[in-house]
Amino acid sequence: MPLTDETRAKAREIIARYPKSRSALLPMLHLVQAEEGYVSPEGITLCAEELGLTKAEVSAVATFYTMYKRRPVGEYLVSVCTNTMCGVLGGDKAYQALSEHLGVGHDETTEDGQFTLEHAECLAACDYAPVMTVNYEFFDQVDEESAVDIVRRLQTGSSPLPTRGARLCTFKQIEMQLAGFADEREGATGEGPAGTPTLAGARLADSVGVTVPGYDPNTPIPPVPPKDEKK
């Protein structure tokens, strides 16, 4: 389907943020996915026209990064880390359980268009392994049962709160944020707490009086939760 004039206007808004126009290509590809659900041929043409690039140059970038999809993605992109740390701690089993539950394999989408499943090489959260993300929001220390439960709740219309970060949104909505546009949903930002491993270094530094230039000593650091509250 043709992209709208509004999409082209947003693309030009992105370009205006950068001193060199071609630097805008990555967020523009996210914009295309926000509109189309994937990097469509029309989206590649739009990026090429607005940036003065060839379609081959745009396609080369779009095919290099796994975050850009060449087929339509479901409402929810479910990514399970199967790299070494997560894999040996249960990520492989969680992925297999999700594959069996959804009836799809890697980079495949369910018939109802709701879920796309993928195994990810690394989600950069080894201290929370094994992890999975739904539209790039983290669910930490999952196992076969909890991973399937998250998807099952989405299937029944519930919206489980990620372990960290904002509440879940659709794939197209998160792509619009990755394109650099604010999340307009009321109360959507700053909902998820920071996890204990994330704050460990800050707590240690605070305990021994180590600071960095510009640090505000009045910035609150949440206390370590009691043992029974840790996950």
Side-chain angles (χ1 to χ4, degrees):
M1 60 178 290
L3 292 164
T4 64
D5 289 340
E6 182 181 357
T7 304
R8 195 173 289 272
K10 287 179 178 177
R12 291 173 181 173
E13 182 179 338
I14 293 171
I15 294 170
R17 300 172 188 161
Y18 296 89
K20 293 186 178 181
S21 62
R22 68 182 299 152
S23 300
L25 179 55
L26 298 186
M28 284 176 66
L29 289 170
H30 283 299
L31 174 65
V32 170
Q33 293 197 141
E35 298 289 347
E36 302 276 72
Y38 72 115
V39 177
S40 64
E42 293 80 6
I44 288 176
T45 298
L46 180 145
C47 291
E49 290 175 349
E50 292 297 326
L51 295 173
L53 301 173
T54 66
K55 288 187 281 188
E57 288 174 310
V58 175
S59 296
V61 174
T63 55
F64 181 81
Y65 296 102
T66 59
M67 60 190 175
Y68 299 122
K69 310 303 182 185
R70 302 314 302 271
R71 295 195 298 270
V73 174
E75 196 87 346
Y76 299 104
L77 173 64
V78 180
S79 311
V80 184
C81 183
T82 55
N83 211 342
T84 304
M85 180 70 75
C86 283
V88 300
L89 291 176
D92 289 332
K93 292 180 179 179
Y95 172 83
Q96 188 59 39
L98 285 168
S99 179
E100 293 173 1
H101 176 74
L102 292 170
V104 296
H106 171 65
D107 202 26
E108 293 180 351
T109 301
T110 55
E111 289 186 6
D112 60 6
Q114 287 296 296
F115 295 91
T116 297
L117 178 66
E118 65 178 8
H119 62 74
E121 280 303 307
C122 184
L123 294 176
C126 300
D127 44 352
Y128 296 99
V131 296
M132 63 178 274
T133 61
V134 178
N135 294 340
Y136 305 118
E137 298 292 355
F138 280 94
F139 291 87
D140 300 329
Q141 297 174 330
V142 297
D143 55 23
E144 298 159 86
E145 183 178 343
S146 62
V148 171
D149 181 64
I150 290 164
V151 168
R152 187 178 287 117
R153 290 168 65 187
L154 289 167
Q155 289 174 313
T156 58
S158 177
S159 184
L161 186 66
T163 311
R164 298 170 279 131
R167 73 179 73 165
L168 290 180
C169 60
T170 67
F171 177 75
K172 288 184 177 181
Q173 286 174 324
I174 197 66
E175 285 298 304
M176 188 62 76
Q177 293 175 48
L178 291 172
F181 295 93
D183 186 349
E184 301 294 347
R185 297 174 299 151
E186 184 178 354
T189 58
E191 287 188 323
T196 297
T198 299
L199 294 174
R203 288 178 177 138
L204 176 61
D206 185 62
S207 69
V208 297
V210 174
T211 62
V212 295
Y215 172 72
D216 181 358
N218 296 317
T219 301
I221 300 175
V224 179
K227 257 190 176 180
D228 57 356
E229 292 183 18
K230 290 183 179 180
K231 293 183 180 179

Short mmCIF file of all heavy atoms in Angstrom, two decimals, residues 16 21-22 30 39 46 51 82 97 104 118 120 127 132-134 138 145 152 184 186 191-192 205-206 217:
data_model
loop_
_atom_site.label_atom_id
_atom_site.label_comp_id
_atom_site.label_asym_id
_atom_site.label_seq_id
_atom_site.Cartn_x
_atom_site.Cartn_y
_atom_site.Cartn_z
N ALA A 16 15.52 16.23 9.46
CA ALA A 16 15.91 17.55 9.97
C ALA A 16 16.68 17.48 11.28
O ALA A 16 17.33 18.45 11.68
CB ALA A 16 14.66 18.41 10.15
N SER A 21 22.03 14.09 6.12
CA SER A 21 20.71 13.49 5.93
C SER A 21 20.73 11.96 5.97
O SER A 21 19.82 11.35 6.53
CB SER A 21 20.10 13.96 4.61
OG SER A 21 20.89 13.55 3.51
N ARG A 22 21.76 11.34 5.43
CA ARG A 22 21.76 9.88 5.38
C ARG A 22 21.85 9.25 6.77
O ARG A 22 21.55 8.07 6.94
CB ARG A 22 22.86 9.35 4.46
CG ARG A 22 24.27 9.55 4.93
CD ARG A 22 25.25 9.02 3.89
NE ARG A 22 25.07 7.60 3.65
CZ ARG A 22 25.36 6.98 2.50
NH1 ARG A 22 25.82 7.68 1.48
NH2 ARG A 22 25.19 5.69 2.37
N HIS A 30 12.60 2.50 10.80
CA HIS A 30 11.65 2.21 11.88
C HIS A 30 10.31 2.89 11.60
O HIS A 30 9.25 2.32 11.89
CB HIS A 30 12.21 2.70 13.22
CG HIS A 30 13.27 1.82 13.80
ND1 HIS A 30 13.03 0.49 14.15
CD2 HIS A 30 14.57 2.06 14.11
CE1 HIS A 30 14.13 -0.03 14.63
NE2 HIS A 30 15.08 0.88 14.62
N VAL A 39 9.59 -3.56 6.56
CA VAL A 39 10.22 -2.68 5.58
C VAL A 39 9.72 -3.09 4.20
O VAL A 39 10.21 -4.05 3.60
CB VAL A 39 11.76 -2.74 5.66
CG1 VAL A 39 12.37 -1.86 4.58
CG2 VAL A 39 12.25 -2.29 7.03
N LEU A 46 10.59 5.25 -0.52
CA LEU A 46 10.45 6.53 0.18
C LEU A 46 11.77 6.98 0.79
O LEU A 46 12.18 8.14 0.65
CB LEU A 46 9.37 6.43 1.26
CG LEU A 46 9.09 7.69 2.08
CD1 LEU A 46 7.62 7.80 2.45
CD2 LEU A 46 9.92 7.73 3.37
N LEU A 51 16.30 10.68 0.90
CA LEU A 51 17.70 10.78 1.30
C LEU A 51 18.66 10.90 0.13
O LEU A 51 19.87 11.07 0.32
CB LEU A 51 18.10 9.58 2.16
CG LEU A 51 17.37 9.47 3.51
CD1 LEU A 51 17.71 8.15 4.19
CD2 LEU A 51 17.73 10.63 4.41
N THR A 82 18.59 -17.00 22.80
CA THR A 82 19.11 -18.37 22.81
C THR A 82 20.63 -18.37 22.68
O THR A 82 21.23 -19.37 22.29
CB THR A 82 18.49 -19.19 21.67
OG1 THR A 82 18.71 -18.51 20.42
CG2 THR A 82 17.00 -19.37 21.88
N ALA A 97 9.15 -24.25 23.82
CA ALA A 97 7.79 -24.29 24.36
C ALA A 97 6.89 -23.27 23.66
O ALA A 97 5.73 -23.55 23.34
CB ALA A 97 7.82 -24.01 25.86
N VAL A 104 4.50 -22.05 15.36
CA VAL A 104 5.36 -21.38 14.38
C VAL A 104 6.82 -21.56 14.78
O VAL A 104 7.13 -21.85 15.93
CB VAL A 104 5.05 -19.87 14.25
CG1 VAL A 104 3.64 -19.66 13.72
CG2 VAL A 104 5.24 -19.15 15.59
N GLU A 118 10.75 -15.26 17.25
CA GLU A 118 12.12 -15.33 16.78
C GLU A 118 13.04 -15.71 17.93
O GLU A 118 12.76 -15.39 19.09
CB GLU A 118 12.58 -14.01 16.16
CG GLU A 118 12.66 -12.85 17.13
CD GLU A 118 13.16 -11.56 16.49
OE1 GLU A 118 13.30 -11.52 15.25
OE2 GLU A 118 13.40 -10.59 17.23
N ALA A 120 16.69 -14.90 19.42
CA ALA A 120 17.64 -13.80 19.31
C ALA A 120 19.00 -14.26 19.78
O ALA A 120 19.12 -15.02 20.75
CB ALA A 120 17.16 -12.61 20.14
N ASP A 127 22.62 -10.66 32.96
CA ASP A 127 22.41 -10.72 34.40
C ASP A 127 20.98 -11.06 34.77
O ASP A 127 20.65 -11.26 35.94
CB ASP A 127 22.84 -9.41 35.08
CG ASP A 127 22.37 -8.17 34.34
OD1 ASP A 127 21.84 -8.30 33.22
OD2 ASP A 127 22.54 -7.06 34.88
N MET A 132 13.36 -12.93 27.61
CA MET A 132 12.65 -12.80 26.35
C MET A 132 12.08 -11.38 26.32
O MET A 132 11.97 -10.72 27.35
CB MET A 132 11.51 -13.82 26.23
CG MET A 132 10.41 -13.68 27.27
SD MET A 132 9.06 -14.89 27.05
CE MET A 132 8.03 -14.02 25.85
N THR A 133 11.82 -10.89 25.14
CA THR A 133 11.18 -9.59 25.00
C THR A 133 9.92 -9.74 24.18
O THR A 133 9.80 -10.63 23.33
CB THR A 133 12.10 -8.55 24.33
OG1 THR A 133 12.43 -8.99 23.00
CG2 THR A 133 13.38 -8.33 25.13
N VAL A 134 8.97 -8.86 24.45
CA VAL A 134 7.77 -8.73 23.63
C VAL A 134 7.76 -7.29 23.14
O VAL A 134 7.69 -6.36 23.95
CB VAL A 134 6.50 -9.05 24.41
CG1 VAL A 134 5.26 -8.86 23.52
CG2 VAL A 134 6.53 -10.48 24.97
N PHE A 138 11.30 -6.11 28.23
CA PHE A 138 11.92 -7.29 28.83
C PHE A 138 11.03 -8.05 29.81
O PHE A 138 10.35 -7.45 30.65
CB PHE A 138 13.20 -6.88 29.57
CG PHE A 138 14.38 -6.69 28.67
CD1 PHE A 138 14.69 -5.44 28.17
CD2 PHE A 138 15.18 -7.77 28.32
CE1 PHE A 138 15.78 -5.27 27.34
CE2 PHE A 138 16.28 -7.61 27.48
CZ PHE A 138 16.58 -6.35 26.98
N GLU A 145 7.28 -22.47 31.35
CA GLU A 145 5.92 -22.18 31.82
C GLU A 145 5.62 -20.69 31.81
O GLU A 145 4.57 -20.26 31.31
CB GLU A 145 5.73 -22.74 33.23
CG GLU A 145 4.33 -22.56 33.77
CD GLU A 145 4.16 -23.17 35.16
OE1 GLU A 145 5.01 -23.99 35.55
OE2 GLU A 145 3.19 -22.82 35.84
N ARG A 152 0.08 -16.53 26.51
CA ARG A 152 -1.31 -16.92 26.70
C ARG A 152 -2.14 -15.76 27.22
O ARG A 152 -3.29 -15.57 26.81
CB ARG A 152 -1.39 -18.13 27.64
CG ARG A 152 -2.79 -18.71 27.78
CD ARG A 152 -2.82 -19.92 28.69
NE ARG A 152 -2.20 -21.08 28.06
CZ ARG A 152 -1.11 -21.68 28.52
NH1 ARG A 152 -0.49 -21.22 29.60
NH2 ARG A 152 -0.63 -22.75 27.91
N GLU A 184 2.71 8.47 23.30
CA GLU A 184 1.64 9.37 23.73
C GLU A 184 0.64 8.72 24.68
O GLU A 184 -0.28 9.38 25.16
CB GLU A 184 0.90 9.91 22.50
CG GLU A 184 1.77 10.67 21.51
CD GLU A 184 2.32 11.97 22.08
OE1 GLU A 184 1.83 12.41 23.14
OE2 GLU A 184 3.24 12.54 21.46
N GLU A 186 -1.11 7.63 27.90
CA GLU A 186 -1.09 8.21 29.25
C GLU A 186 -0.46 7.23 30.25
O GLU A 186 -0.85 6.07 30.35
CB GLU A 186 -2.50 8.55 29.70
CG GLU A 186 -2.56 9.25 31.05
CD GLU A 186 -3.97 9.62 31.46
OE1 GLU A 186 -4.90 9.44 30.64
OE2 GLU A 186 -4.14 10.10 32.60
N GLU A 191 7.05 3.13 33.97
CA GLU A 191 6.23 2.28 34.82
C GLU A 191 7.02 1.14 35.46
O GLU A 191 6.83 0.83 36.62
CB GLU A 191 5.07 1.70 34.01
CG GLU A 191 3.99 2.73 33.69
CD GLU A 191 2.78 2.09 33.06
OE1 GLU A 191 2.94 1.14 32.26
OE2 GLU A 191 1.67 2.54 33.36
N GLY A 192 7.88 0.52 34.67
CA GLY A 192 8.57 -0.65 35.21
C GLY A 192 9.74 -0.28 36.09
O GLY A 192 10.47 0.67 35.81
N ALA A 205 28.60 1.84 44.60
CA ALA A 205 29.28 3.13 44.53
C ALA A 205 28.76 4.07 45.62
O ALA A 205 29.54 4.79 46.27
CB ALA A 205 29.07 3.74 43.15
N ASP A 206 27.46 4.06 45.83
CA ASP A 206 26.87 4.93 46.84
C ASP A 206 27.36 4.56 48.24
O ASP A 206 27.62 5.43 49.08
CB ASP A 206 25.34 4.84 46.77
CG ASP A 206 24.65 5.80 47.71
OD1 ASP A 206 24.83 7.02 47.56
OD2 ASP A 206 23.91 5.33 48.61
N PRO A 217 23.94 13.95 44.52
CA PRO A 217 23.91 13.02 45.66
C PRO A 217 22.53 12.81 46.24
O PRO A 217 22.32 11.88 47.02
CB PRO A 217 24.86 13.69 46.67
CG PRO A 217 24.87 15.13 46.30
CD PRO A 217 24.71 15.16 44.81
#
